[in-house]
Amino acid sequence: MIVHVENLVKRYGELTAIDHLSMDVRQGEIFGLLGPNGSGKTTAINCILSLLKYDKGMIEIFDKPMTPYAYDIKKDIGIVMQNVAVFEELTVYENIDYFCGLYIKDKTQKEAYVNEAIAFVGLGDFIKFYPKKLSGGLLRRLNIACGIAHKPKLIILDEPTVAVDPQSRNKILEGIVELNRQGATIIYTSHYMEEVEQICSRIMILDKGRIIAEGSKEELKSMISLGEKISVEVFNLKDIHVKEIEALPNITSVVYQDHTLVIKSHKGKDNLESVLNYVRKNGINFGTIYSEKPTLNDVFLEITGKELRD
Amino acid sequence: MPVFRLCLKIFKKKLPVMMIYVGLFLVISLLIASATRTEREKGFVQSKTNIAVINYDASPLVTGLIDGLKEIANIVPLEDDSSALQDALYFRKVTYILRIPEDFTDKFLKGEEVWIEKTSVPNSVDAVYVDLKVNQYLRIAQLYNSKSSIDSSKIVSHIHKDMEMETKVNLNGGEELKQDQSYAMYYYNYLAYSLFSVLILGISTIILVFNNQDLRRRNACSPIPAGSSNFQFILANGIFAVICWAIMVGFCIVFDYKNSNTTNTLLFLINSFVFTLCAVSISFLVGNLVKNQESISALTNVIALGPSFISGVFVPQEFLGEEVLKIASFTPTYWYVKANNTIANLNSFDMASLRETMGYTGIVLGFAIAFLSLALVVGKKKQLSHEA
């Protein structure tokens, strides 16, 4: 096991930020910690890294107890903080060189690693730039380069795409997958369900410091009753039609609002066909019609009763 | 030593601003020092005052008195006219007028009460000296006249012989220094301001950077032990402080090389080094208290300039009010300047002479320890609040 956390509890006075969190991260996986802001993701990461004292629990990394003095463990961990942690006084190259130098003593090897990291995040044209001169996306890339330059076995990325443009975000996500492909185990925290869904092999959903679900995205989606969501653009629909559609087999709910009919159903391969047949049979004119599989947001919504981004 | 190298890199980035302080310091200290350099007396030349003698008694005794007065004064011939004499005094043509009456010698030799009339410029120091000379002459004359029956010509020759006798006086103590330390004194005093400014600017900036919570946490994730990291940090700051001190005192030794090979210079160096330690401690404290670079610039001016003004860096302590000095005594700069002033006047270097200087330097060291302790407490408190 790369990371093993057992019954972790962290309190800030009356507030329980982490409530009996247990998790295992296996070698070679991209483990996603998903949850809304304030759900305890960063606190959990800080406890795992021994940056915060915790009230209860046990943390092991590489099968050894993690403490602030576990330097042999720390040398194999790469960390990309939620807030960009780079020196304003140093250039892009100097920053990566410094952080890599904390782990790699051999000068030649360090130089090679720094250059690889620069190429990896695509900052080759900006090595002499100071952080203040970089855009948000480039700054995030620099933050990542500083965290991964020493080629760690375990990389922890805490919301690395916050306030990043879509282009840079895709670049970052592709990079994370590539790092994983190269052999690194990754813990990825985010409140963007699309990102987690896109890259993570296993996902843990947190809310108010508690685990509310854990598994692969398929496993998580199978936990909820929603199987399919069909949306139909209709301009005039009578109440009778809504009721009749609701009575069709497998359908769980029908809502008609703003010229859009949203039909939720249990899992079943004929749901879309049965709705289409009804529409055609009753001569209802429609615009677009499409079917969606449930998302992690639906999972979160069904379990907690609120949207992930609430 | 990545942390050490990082500190040096940050110092390097701040070098242009620090060089402005150093450059200004050198220019101003040179100007101040050369303007205030005092020439010490190496010999004594007696000056003569102008006096007038209105003499109505041409006896050998009075002639002898006038000859005696010629040794210390220029005799200006004036008519015995009251308005002319008053004008001469008013316009300082003479500072002293001596009027000798007609039968002065006869009465004097007979032992009768007799008066010499004198008129002088009010509060004149010269008049006192002429008085002394006249009294000395007449007392010796009275002595010879009372003890033997010799004529006035012989009395005069005896008086002149006696008055020519001089006693050699050797001055022991610190009145005259072997070498002139005034330049060094002004230089080292002014050093307080520049050293303070440069060290606060450099060290506080580094501390501010390392106190950034995100960077602190990021560094804490690295495999560099906290002890090693702290050691590298302290080493870099220590080297920076020593280099700043060495450069600044080095210039003084170069500029004032003729007077540098003395024990005074050694004491100046020790005192300024102790003050450097104190400035480092204060810089640590400032770095732990401030939240941004702008605050450092503002605080540098307050901490370096304020005490410099009230402690005698720019204006000598002799010219500062008692109340001001009382307030200044709560700052290390005051004791540092006091020690410099004492060192500049030291000529003897035994324990008794050095005790005062050592006391002042000791107080500066005490300030250094106090500020360092305070800085460590504030730093630790900050660290604990981040880890909670």
Side-chain angles (χ1 to χ4, degrees), chain B residues 46-54 65-66 68-76 89 94-100 116-121 124-139 163:
Chain B
Q46 191 175 2
S47 63
K48 289 183 173 181
T49 186
N50 294 333
I51 65 168
V53 181
I54 311 297
L65 173 63
I66 293 167
L69 286 172
K70 278 177 184 169
E71 286 173 14
I72 62 155
N74 301 314
I75 310 293
V76 178
L89 278 173
V94 294
T95 56
Y96 194 101
I97 298 167
L98 196 66
R99 180 186 289 277
I100 300 165
I116 291 178
E117 191 183 311
K118 90 161 195 196
T119 314
S120 66
V121 172
S124 165
V125 179
D126 301 345
V128 177
Y129 194 44
V130 177
D131 283 345
L132 282 172
K133 196 76 181 173
V134 172
N135 289 338
Q136 188 186 21
Y137 182 90
L138 294 177
R139 276 202 197 103
M163 288 175 75

Side-chain angles (χ1 to χ4, degrees), chain B residues 185-328:
Chain B
M185 186 186 79
Y186 284 109
Y187 187 96
Y188 280 100
N189 281 353
Y190 190 61
L191 186 83
Y193 167 65
S194 310
L195 205 56
F196 239 140
S197 306
V198 172
L199 290 181
I200 292 175
L201 201 70
I203 293 174
S204 300
T205 301
I206 292 274
I207 292 171
L208 186 69
V209 169
F210 276 83
N211 272 350
N212 175 299
Q213 194 181 342
D214 296 323
L215 285 171
R216 188 194 274 262
R217 284 188 168 167
R218 180 63 190 83
N219 282 327
C221 293
S222 78
I224 306 272
S228 165
S229 182
N230 288 340
F231 170 73
Q232 291 178 43
F233 182 79
I234 291 166
L235 184 68
N237 282 291
I239 287 176
F240 168 72
V242 170
I243 288 174
C244 288
W245 169 78
I247 288 173
M248 289 192 182
V249 299
F251 275 114
C252 182
I253 291 168
V254 171
F255 293 149
D256 198 30
Y257 66 94
K258 280 181 188 167
N259 296 315
S260 290
N261 193 20
T262 61
T263 314
N264 302 68
T265 303
L266 182 68
L267 292 171
F268 276 130
L269 290 177
I270 293 169
N271 190 42
S272 59
F273 186 75
V274 171
F275 186 74
T276 305
L277 295 181
C278 188
V280 169
S281 304
I282 291 172
S283 306
F284 269 109
L285 182 62
V286 170
N288 277 310
L289 288 175
V290 296
K291 287 188 175 152
N292 53 50
Q293 187 64 45
E294 288 73 31
S295 316
I296 290 183
S297 306
L299 268 176
T300 302
N301 285 328
V302 172
I303 293 171
L305 260 185
S308 297
F309 270 119
I310 60 169
S311 299
V313 170
F314 303 126
V315 180
Q317 287 185 344
E318 303 91 84
F319 300 139
L320 294 169
E322 211 173 296
E323 294 299 317
V324 174
L325 290 176
K326 220 173 252 176
I327 296 166

Side-chain angles (χ1 to χ4, degrees), chain A residues 28-191:
Chain A
E29 70 179 353
I30 302 180
F31 184 86
L33 265 178
L34 179 68
N37 290 329
S39 59
K41 304 183 295 291
T42 300
T43 306
I45 294 299
N46 286 339
C47 288
I48 289 170
L49 290 166
S50 280
L51 295 173
L52 281 178
K53 288 175 184 161
Y54 45 91
D55 299 279
K56 200 177 151 190
M58 186 192 77
I59 296 166
E60 282 181 353
I61 298 179
F62 306 129
D63 297 321
K64 293 175 197 162
M66 181 61 180
T67 68
Y69 314 104
Y71 301 113
D72 58 331
I73 296 175
K74 287 181 177 182
K75 72 179 168 49
D76 289 321
I77 300 175
I79 172 76
V80 177
M81 297 276 191
Q82 184 177 8
N83 296 329
V84 176
V86 295
F87 291 94
E88 296 287 334
E89 294 77 9
L90 302 185
T91 62
V92 164
Y93 186 91
E94 287 169 336
N95 263 301
I96 302 170
D97 182 67
Y98 166 73
F99 286 110
C100 188
L102 293 173
Y103 301 82
I104 308 293
K105 284 183 180 150
D106 182 77
K107 211 176 166 185
T108 320
Q109 191 186 12
K110 185 181 74 173
E111 203 178 319
Y113 279 12
V114 170
N115 288 327
E116 273 182 48
I118 289 169
F120 183 79
V121 295
L123 284 174
D125 295 334
F126 305 95
I127 54 170
K128 288 187 178 169
F129 279 51
Y130 285 93
K132 269 188 181 168
K133 299 278 176 192
L134 298 178
S135 68
L138 293 177
L139 202 56
R140 286 279 165 189
R141 285 199 234 167
L142 170 62
N143 200 30
I144 292 171
C146 291
I148 56 119
H150 60 287
K151 295 191 187 295
K153 290 178 190 164
L154 169 66
I155 303 171
I156 299 173
L157 299 112
D158 189 7
E159 307 226 25
T161 57
V162 170
V164 166
D165 59 279
Q167 197 187 349
S168 287
R169 179 176 294 185
N170 283 337
K171 178 107 184 146
I172 289 169
L173 294 177
E174 282 166 20
I176 291 165
V177 173
E178 176 59 22
L179 286 168
N180 177 246
R181 202 188 55 75
Q182 288 172 7
T185 303
I186 287 162
I187 299 177
Y188 186 87
T189 83
S190 179
H191 63 271

Side-chain angles (χ1 to χ4, degrees), chain A residues 9-28:
Chain A
V9 176
K10 169 70 188 171
R11 292 189 189 96
Y12 291 107
E14 294 291 305
L15 176 79
T16 305
I18 300 290
D19 192 358
H20 294 90
L21 174 85
S22 294
M23 64 184 246
D24 287 316
V25 180
R26 298 165 206 146
Q27 185 158 10

